[in-house]
Amino acid sequence: MSVETSLDSPVQDRFLRVLDDPMYRVLVELQDLISFETAVFWRERGVKCVHLPITTQAVSSPMGLGSDSLPVQIELFGLRTYLADSMQFMLEYGCRLAPEGSYYLMPSFRGEAPDATHLNQFFHSEAEIPGCLDDVIAAADSYLRRLARAVLEQMGDRIRTAVGNTDHIESLLVRESARITFDEAVGLLGDSDEYFEDLDGCRTIRRAGELALMERYGPAVWLTHFETLSVPFYQATTEDGARALNADLLLGPGEIIGCGERHVGGAETRQALELRRVAPEDYDWYLRMKDRHPMLTSGFGMGVERFLMWILQRDDIRDMQLLERYNGQLMIP
């Protein structure tokens, strides 16, 4: 029986109900496996784990064109501060110190309302590596498959008991991920409000569109080259500037991994900020880093709880929390 996670339900006793639900013992084993396999995967590639603060003055999804989340602002000793919505910028900094790249596995914080596929606080497995979009797609795809294979080999029996079978994992491992551009997806599905949404004059794909692509090409589909203004300023673009050098991996509940190539230097980053009407002052350090140490890097972030949703074949990401956390609510413990 699933632990009830409705926001209208009493939260005071949930932590006790979790202790009586065998699914959460499986969840803890999966969390431990992901942490271990993540470290081994990146160690084999020479990518360094960097210890980073969870506070920042520069959110990766600022208010402006292309933002896809709301930052969480707090006051810390009288200063406006944000809880990290991603550690991407600092991982780019880490790449200048660790030539093979940098990674981390830590919480991220979001301000929008939670739902069946979004949490206010979630674990984020992020990495930044030298190279272009194709390089990071290959790395992220290999990482996902490494985790899936480890789950199957080390916990297959536990997953079969919890879920009923491991067909979804086996299906992923025997098939290559499909790859399709955003424009190809529009041509395939049709420019319909059912599948695509217009935001500030640019299109983004809806969850129904993601599910339709997975049904046709799945189980895993890389959707690439979104319209430029539908993504944040830090994503590099094609030479004509019309499309972003980005990609989302669609699996199970939808987007599980988001990745992209970054601007090499400060000048093009400033242009991207201006295009989206985002003030450059909050990103002064980021711009100065790129001015002084230009570098081609690409990175990705995987929502760990979304991956766990797919492994455990759950339809509500809120079940993937050992201890619930919702903005504006007193949570126990």
Side-chain angles (χ1 to χ4, degrees), residues 1-3 16-25 314:
M1 178 72 68
S2 169
V3 169
L16 295 174
R17 300 199 305 275
V18 163
L19 295 178
D20 296 327
D21 188 333
M23 189 274 287
Y24 286 94
R25 289 173 171 77
R314 311 293 285 203

Side-chain angles (χ1 to χ4, degrees), residues 20 23 32 45 67 85 89 101-102 108 117 125 135 186-187 199 204 241 244 248 277 283 287 321 327-328:
D20 296 327
M23 189 274 287
D32 180 70
R45 291 169 176 249
S67 295
D85 61 317
F89 295 151
S102 61
S108 282
T117 57
S125 182
D135 296 321
V186 173
L199 295 175
T204 60
D248 285 351
R277 301 191 292 274
Y283 300 93
L287 295 167
Q321 301 176 99
N327 295 338

Side-chain angles (χ1 to χ4, degrees), residues 81-99:
T81 305
Y82 295 100
L83 299 178
D85 61 317
S86 164
M87 213 60 72
Q88 176 208 312
F89 295 151
M90 295 187 192
L91 289 173
E92 288 188 54
Y93 181 78
C95 277
R96 274 104 176 141
L97 297 168

Side-chain angles (χ1 to χ4, degrees), residues 21-190:
D21 188 333
M23 189 274 287
Y24 286 94
R25 289 173 171 77
V26 178
L27 184 64
V28 167
E29 289 190 41
L30 285 167
Q31 291 174 342
D32 180 70
L33 181 148
I34 289 170
S35 295
F36 178 82
E37 293 294 337
T38 296
V40 173
F41 177 84
W42 291 122
R43 172 60 64 91
E44 291 173 352
R45 291 169 176 249
V47 177
K48 306 302 183 187
C49 178
V50 290
H51 293 186
L52 300 167
I54 62 170
T55 56
T56 181
Q57 300 300 314
V59 294
S60 67
S61 288
M63 298 303 293
L65 294 174
S67 295
D68 58 0
S69 65
L70 295 175
V72 177
Q73 180 178 326
I74 63 171
E75 181 177 310
L76 191 63
F77 295 99
L79 292 177
R80 184 197 69 175
T81 305
Y82 295 100
L83 299 178
D85 61 317
S86 164
M87 213 60 72
Q88 176 208 312
F89 295 151
M90 295 187 192
L91 289 173
E92 288 188 54
Y93 181 78
C95 277
R96 274 104 176 141
L97 297 168
E100 300 302 319
S102 61
Y103 82 94
Y104 88 107
L105 179 59
M106 285 169 49
S108 282
F109 303 83
R110 299 291 168 88
E112 60 267 27
D115 59 29
T117 57
H118 295 84
L119 292 174
N120 291 144
Q121 297 181 29
F122 65 96
F123 273 80
H124 215 171
S125 182
E126 290 192 280
E128 194 79 17
I129 60 173
C132 65
L133 177 63
D134 287 340
D135 296 321
V136 77
I137 287 177
D141 201 84
S142 295
Y143 171 65
L144 177 85
R145 291 170 182 276
R146 170 66 168 264
L147 295 182
R149 187 172 295 106
V151 170
L152 187 62
E153 292 175 353
Q154 300 177 39
M155 293 186 60
D157 290 342
R158 299 294 305 276
I159 301 303
R160 279 185 281 271
T161 298
V163 176
N165 61 68
T166 54
D167 294 350
H168 57 300
I169 306 175
E170 294 167 23
S171 178
L172 172 74
L173 294 176
V174 298
R175 296 180 60 181
E176 292 185 1
S177 301
R179 184 163 169 174
I180 182 173
T181 68
F182 186 88
D183 289 340
E184 289 170 340
V186 173
L188 174 71
L189 300 177

Side-chain angles (χ1 to χ4, degrees), residues 158-229:
R158 299 294 305 276
I159 301 303
R160 279 185 281 271
T161 298
V163 176
N165 61 68
T166 54
D167 294 350
H168 57 300
I169 306 175
E170 294 167 23
S171 178
L172 172 74
L173 294 176
V174 298
R175 296 180 60 181
E176 292 185 1
S177 301
R179 184 163 169 174
I180 182 173
T181 68
F182 186 88
D183 289 340
E184 289 170 340
V186 173
L188 174 71
L189 300 177
D191 193 4
S192 163
D193 290 342
E194 178 183 1
Y195 297 125
F196 299 96
E197 181 179 11
D198 189 281
L199 295 175
D200 298 316
C202 59
R203 292 170 300 184
T204 60
I205 192 165
R206 294 182 184 271
R207 187 56 47 86
E210 294 178 341
L211 295 175
L213 291 176
M214 287 186 286
E215 182 177 356
R216 179 167 296 203
Y217 296 111
V221 180
W222 282 104
L223 181 62
T224 73
H225 295 84
F226 286 34
E227 294 183 1
T228 294
L229 289 181

